[in-house]
Amino acid sequence: MSVKNKRVLSTVVYYTLAALALAMAGFFIYALIVRDMALWSKIVYFIWIGFVIGAVIFDIICTSAGEAKTISSVIIYVLSVLAIVMACIVYFVNAGVGGLATNFFNLFISIAMLSLMTTGYMIAMWCVGESLVEHATAAKKISEKKN
């Protein structure tokens, strides 16, 4: 596969993953609105989602410019760790001696899975974006050698 074809495929996959990350963030917002959770956890998750949306937009800008992917990777890493930490906090705050109550278990699983799926899409999006930047750099080097 030529570098040009790899770049086209990477571009399509990158923007698809960005759209999926934003869609999962939207589903997560909806789930938080309709679910009955503690107010503090809703507020923390809404703030987290705001940062996720900002990180996706920032990563798109960084990928388009071909720069600052390191900053984007640190932001995505921190948001990923925060998603895991928040899921653990919500679990331990609501868990009793025998684990989660039956009526809270489905809520916890849906909230934890939505946050972790959003994080997974962001990580995959960053990886493909990094590959896209590398393809653009390789294409630029090839064109410079021809000239």
Side-chain angles (χ1 to χ4, degrees), residues 9-15 17 59 63 69 122-135:
L9 181 61
S10 293
T11 303
V12 170
V13 170
Y14 177 76
Y15 287 108
L17 288 169
D59 191 67
T63 301
K69 290 292 282 183
M122 281 192 326
I123 292 169
M125 178 194 71
W126 181 87
C127 291
V128 173
E130 183 68 20
S131 174
L132 188 59
V133 170
E134 289 174 5
H135 294 318

Side-chain angles (χ1 to χ4, degrees), residues 30-57:
Y30 176 74
L32 286 174
I33 291 171
V34 299
R35 301 289 181 150
D36 187 27
M37 295 181 62
L39 183 60
W40 68 267
S41 61
K42 282 186 176 187
I43 292 171
V44 170
Y45 272 128
F46 276 123
I47 293 170
W48 180 81
I49 290 170
F51 281 116
V52 165
I53 292 169
V56 169
I57 293 169

Side-chain angles (χ1 to χ4, degrees), residues 54-130:
V56 169
I57 293 169
F58 181 69
D59 191 67
I60 290 171
I61 292 168
C62 291
T63 301
S64 297
E67 299 175 355
K69 290 292 282 183
T70 305
I71 297 169
S72 177
S73 67
V74 170
I75 292 169
I76 291 173
Y77 173 76
V78 168
L79 289 172
S80 302
V81 170
L82 288 176
I84 294 169
V85 168
M86 188 60 188
C88 291
I89 290 171
V90 169
Y91 177 82
F92 287 119
V93 165
N94 293 298
V97 175
L100 285 175
T102 310
N103 59 347
F104 189 76
F105 182 75
N106 291 333
L107 172 68
F108 170 74
I109 292 298
S110 65
I111 295 299
M113 284 293 115
L114 282 172
S115 67
L116 295 177
M117 285 175 59
T118 304
T119 299
Y121 283 128
M122 281 192 326
I123 292 169
M125 178 194 71
W126 181 87
C127 291
V128 173
E130 183 68 20

